[in-house]
Amino acid sequence: MAGLKSLVYLSSKAALLVLLIALAAQTQKANAQNCASELTNLNVCAPFVVPGVTDSSPSADCCNALQSVDHDCICNTIRISARLPSQCNLPRLDCAN
């Protein structure tokens, strides 16, 4: 009987662990979808960041969109973007100038 109780206890712990892993994966997927949506909203800022722009003062819409983007979302996107050239076997980008 003690062996059966131990088995039931371990099974319930394993089920809880699987549930927690699934919940974490779902949360990460939801965060990624939210980040992508927030970044899409930044399209209103495009006219202020393209080369040759004459008016570099962002609009209120751009500022509001930027304010609504989560800090981690923007930072992770910049980090990923910086890695892309090397992952595509291209020279590293140097934006120092």
Side-chain angles (χ1 to χ4, degrees):
M1 192 60 154
L4 182 58
K5 284 184 180 181
S6 293
L7 182 60
V8 169
Y9 176 76
L10 289 176
S11 294
S12 65
K13 289 291 186 186
L16 180 60
L17 180 60
V18 168
L19 179 63
L20 289 175
I21 291 171
L23 181 60
Q26 186 63 30
T27 301
Q28 185 175 6
K29 182 179 177 183
N31 287 342
Q33 290 172 341
N34 287 341
C35 181
S37 175
E38 291 173 2
L39 293 174
T40 299
N41 292 337
L42 290 177
N43 285 338
V44 296
C45 296
F48 308 102
V49 296
V50 294
V53 68
T54 56
D55 182 11
S56 60
S57 298
S59 67
D61 288 341
C62 173
C63 292
N64 290 334
L66 185 58
Q67 185 177 15
S68 71
V69 178
D70 181 71
H71 177 265
D72 289 338
C73 174
I74 273 196
C75 290
N76 288 335
T77 301
I78 291 170
R79 278 188 218 106
I80 291 168
S81 298
R83 285 194 321 244
L84 282 177
S86 67
Q87 292 175 334
C88 294
N89 296 318
L90 297 169
R92 182 175 174 245
L93 292 176
D94 183 10
C95 301
N97 51 347

